[in-house]
Amino acid sequence: MEVIENSPYVTIGELVRLTGMRYSTLKFYTEEGMLEFEQAEENLTRRYKRVDTIQRIHYIKTLRAEGKTVPQIKDILSQTK
C-alpha cells in the first residue's frame, strides 16, 4: 500500500483501495467525464493522477452528501477545471 500511496499515477483498482469507493462507482464517474485519466497505449490501462483524482473524488463525495445530482456535479466540475 505504501508504494501506491507514493506513486504519482494509480489505476482504478488502486483508487478503490485508496478511497474506499466501489469500482463500479469510479468507473461510472470516469465514463461520465468526472474523473480525468491518461491512457497508456501499450496496454490501454487508464492511469489517474493520484493526488488530483483523490481530491476530486472527495469533492464529489461532498457534493453527493449535499444532495447534488450527477448532472449538477458534472456542471460544477466543468466550471472548476
Side-chain angles (χ1 to χ4, degrees):
M1 189 72 162
E2 186 177 328
V3 172
I4 296 170
E5 291 172 345
N6 293 317
S7 176
Y9 288 91
V10 293
T11 65
I12 194 167
E14 292 166 339
L15 279 174
V16 168
R17 292 176 63 191
L18 291 169
T19 64
M21 292 195 74
R22 293 176 41 195
Y23 178 92
S24 58
T25 301
L26 295 176
K27 186 173 181 200
F28 174 77
Y29 288 164
T30 298
E31 290 171 354
E32 289 295 313
M34 297 164 71
L35 298 177
E36 297 178 1
F37 64 91
E38 295 177 13
Q39 198 156 10
E41 286 190 38
E42 61 272 4
N43 58 9
L44 301 178
T45 300
R46 293 176 177 171
R47 298 170 358 124
Y48 301 82
K49 291 182 180 177
R50 181 181 52 83
V51 174
D52 295 344
T53 304
I54 290 173
Q55 288 174 347
R56 182 165 272 226
I57 289 168
H58 288 300
Y59 186 46
I60 292 169
K61 280 182 173 181
T62 300
L63 294 171
R64 291 293 290 155
E66 292 173 1
K68 301 276 192 279
T69 64
V70 169
Q72 290 171 325
I73 293 171
K74 287 171 65 173
D75 187 49
I76 291 166
L77 293 175
S78 71
Q79 295 174 23
T80 60
K81 281 188 177 180

